[in-house]
Amino acid sequence: MSRRTGKSQAAFERAQAVLVGGVNSPVRAFAAVGGQPAVIAEARGAYVTDLDGNRYIDYVGGYGPAILGHAHPAVVQAITEAVGRGTCPGAPTEAETHLAELICAAFPSVTKLRMTSSGTEAVMSAVRLARGATGRRRIVKCIGCYHGHADALLVSAGSGAAALAAASSAGVPPAAVADTLVVPYNDLGAMERAFDQFAGEIAAVLVEPVAANMGVVPPAAGYLAGLRGLCDRHGALLIFDEVITGFRIARGGAQELYGVRADITAFGKIIGGGLPAGAFGASGEIMAHLAPEGPVYQAGTLSGNPAVTAAGLATLKALQADGFYHRLEQTSGDLERGLRQAAAAAGLEGQVCLNRVGSLLCCFFAPPPVVDFATASAGDAGAFAAYFQAMLEAGIFLAPSPFEAMFVSAAHARAEVQRTVEAAAGAFQRAGRLMESSGRCR
Ligand SMILES: *Cc1c(COP(=O)(O)O)cnc(C)c1O
């Protein structure tokens, strides 16, 4: 309505000529919601500002890293100082050890670590390590969990034999996914059947302990402990992909929150403080299979890069402030309650499902409960698009997909939550009118 878009539109048109779809990662495109992305000039604290000067309260959070808010002064300073000392020594630095010590201290299951430059690499390498350590080939993943874009993990449920996966991307040959099994999230029975069917062949179960790439779907009571038990019984390793949840839902991630230990943990996002980073870690015994100590090869020219390491260290240190996670939980809880009331006031009780774990939130335009990919996919895409556009107009920046989380940061305060809830009141009404006219409301 009043939002100016001329400069963003011109910049995005120019981008489309030289970048595929105008973006460097497909999640940033507006394919699911229509229209064009705002092109961002600056991100600071809880806000992003676009080229036209529109300022939004940000819940994209860089898709996870920005737990302190954007351009946090301590992180900016740490990066600036590190850059001045050279960003690519090609030899060990002390800061790498300091960062690894902080991560190991937060995750008791992790005594040794290897840094990478992305979450994709971390998970891909964790899978290779699990295969090398067990001498087995097959891995099981859950439908709707995202683990980066490595070939073997770009799969969906195949047809035919239970649990056998099909490639979900063009360019992935059948052989690359032949050893990947898929089962629904939160379905221990399906996981048990996969173990029975492929007895002695499964190297690892790979899971997002809180699924946060199909919206936000918490683990059912006992699910993670059940996975732990199955892996132990069958001699398989349990890999938690904590790329989003690590240092997000608790300092010690899902392992702290739910009291279940993984064998191998993958990290990313927050540990890089907004610069490109990932890591995977496990016990010294498992990690001893990794080069240079063991035969599982893994490497990276920019792994443990000083600028990245400095940003990660500054971020993890800021998270050690007294009561940090308690405050984040309070803000996130306030936001959840406000959104719930706004949805109810718009007559959408029973039509939308709000899921939250800590500072990860999601509003599905689907009847509750949303417990897996099937129930998440039952959402009304048109209603989400209407909600998204109304929020954007009102100055609230959400990820342009119903399958992304809202990320709350420490920079979000009472005022931001209040403005978000006020905007949501109108946005839910707009979405509700659409659902009514399409006959989805009962
Ligand atoms: C983002 C993400 C990845 C991939 O990390 P990149 O840094 O984008 O390669 C892997 N697993 C999960 C759970 C993620 O959310």
Side-chain angles (χ1 to χ4, degrees):
M1 286 156 256
S2 62
R3 196 168 62 99
R4 286 183 310 273
T5 58
K7 287 182 181 165
S8 268
Q9 267 174 12
F12 193 65
E13 250 154 57
R14 194 170 160 189
Q16 282 174 300
V18 287
L19 295 169
V20 180
V23 293
N24 273 317
S25 192
V27 292
R28 297 173 204 163
F30 271 31
V33 293
Q36 285 197 346
V39 178
I40 301 305
E42 185 179 288
R44 196 175 287 278
Y47 291 85
V48 294
T49 307
D50 69 19
L51 293 180
D52 292 286
N54 303 300
R55 195 161 174 258
Y56 309 88
I57 300 174
D58 175 44
Y59 291 98
V60 177
Y63 289 91
I67 192 168
L68 301 176
H70 298 284
H72 187 281
V75 178
V76 172
Q77 188 186 346
I79 294 172
T80 308
E81 286 173 10
V83 167
R85 291 190 298 268
T87 55
C88 188
T93 61
E94 276 187 312
E96 294 167 81
T97 304
H98 295 158
L99 182 58
E101 283 169 353
L102 284 187
I103 295 173
C104 292
F107 285 77
S109 68
V110 176
T111 52
K112 277 200 184 170
L113 202 75
R114 168 69 51 86
M115 296 279 306
T116 64
S117 295
S118 68
T120 294
E121 287 174 84
V123 181
M124 183 182 82
S125 306
V127 167
R128 185 181 303 148
L129 175 63
R131 286 171 163 161
T134 59
R136 298 177 178 181
R137 285 186 356 227
R138 296 193 194 268
I139 53 167
V140 194
K141 81 171 280 285
C142 293
I143 300 164
C145 284
Y146 178 68
H147 300 291
H149 61 91
D151 278 358
L153 304 176
L154 285 183
V155 294
S156 54
S159 54
L164 286 177
S168 63
S169 164
V172 174
V177 300
D179 292 318
T180 307
L181 308 170
V182 290
V183 297
Y185 185 73
N186 267 335
D187 187 342
L188 268 184
M191 189 66 80
E192 203 162 354
R193 286 192 293 281
F195 271 109
D196 289 342
Q197 195 177 350
F198 299 97
E201 297 179 25
I202 295 173
V205 167
L206 170 63
V207 70
E208 283 184 83
V210 174
N213 285 285
M214 48 170 146
V216 175
V217 181
Y223 179 62
L224 299 178
L227 294 181
R228 176 72 276 169
L230 277 173
C231 286
D232 288 343
R233 202 147 4 110
H234 293 275
L237 299 178
L238 180 58
I239 306 174
F240 275 5
D241 180 347
E242 299 232 34
V243 169
I244 281 186
T245 52
F247 295 95
R248 165 63 66 177
I249 58 175
R251 189 186 324 282
Q255 296 176 59
E256 178 184 324
L257 193 64
Y258 298 102
V260 175
R261 280 191 180 206
D263 295 304
I264 306 177
T265 305
F267 301 94
K269 298 189 171 135
I270 288 174
I271 66 156
L275 294 188
F280 60 103
S283 67
E285 191 192 341
I286 291 175
M287 293 301 275
H289 290 273
L290 198 63
E293 289 182 26
V296 176
Y297 193 70
Q298 196 281 337
T301 301
L302 294 172
S303 300
N305 171 278
V308 173
T309 307
L313 257 179
T315 301
L316 297 197
K317 281 181 183 163
L319 298 181
Q320 291 178 330
D322 267 351
F324 180 91
Y325 287 97
H326 178 71
R327 285 192 299 279
L328 193 59
E329 170 66 25
Q330 284 196 320
T331 309
S332 309
D334 287 347
L335 180 60
E336 182 200 348
R337 279 184 291 279
L339 292 177
R340 235 176 242 297
Q341 283 163 8
L348 291 180
E349 222 161 353
Q351 324 285 329
V352 303
C353 174
L354 270 157
N355 282 355
R356 179 176 76 87
V357 179
S359 54
L360 297 172
L361 248 87
C362 174
C363 178
F364 294 99
F365 287 86
V370 172
V371 296
D372 58 12
F373 189 63
T375 45
S377 310
D380 184 326
F384 174 81
Y387 173 79
F388 171 89
Q389 297 292 356
M391 290 294 265
L392 194 67
E393 286 293 333
I396 311 296
F397 200 65
L398 304 176
S401 158
F403 297 109
E404 300 293 345
M406 285 174 87
F407 293 92
V408 181
S409 83
H412 291 77
R414 198 173 291 266
E416 282 78 30
V417 168
Q418 213 163 54
R419 274 191 47 206
T420 305
V421 170
E422 280 162 20
F428 278 129
Q429 273 168 12
R430 207 198 282 187
R433 281 196 295 276
L434 198 80
M435 290 168 94
E436 208 168 333
S437 67
S438 66
R440 285 203 57 134
C441 273
R442 279 158 290 180

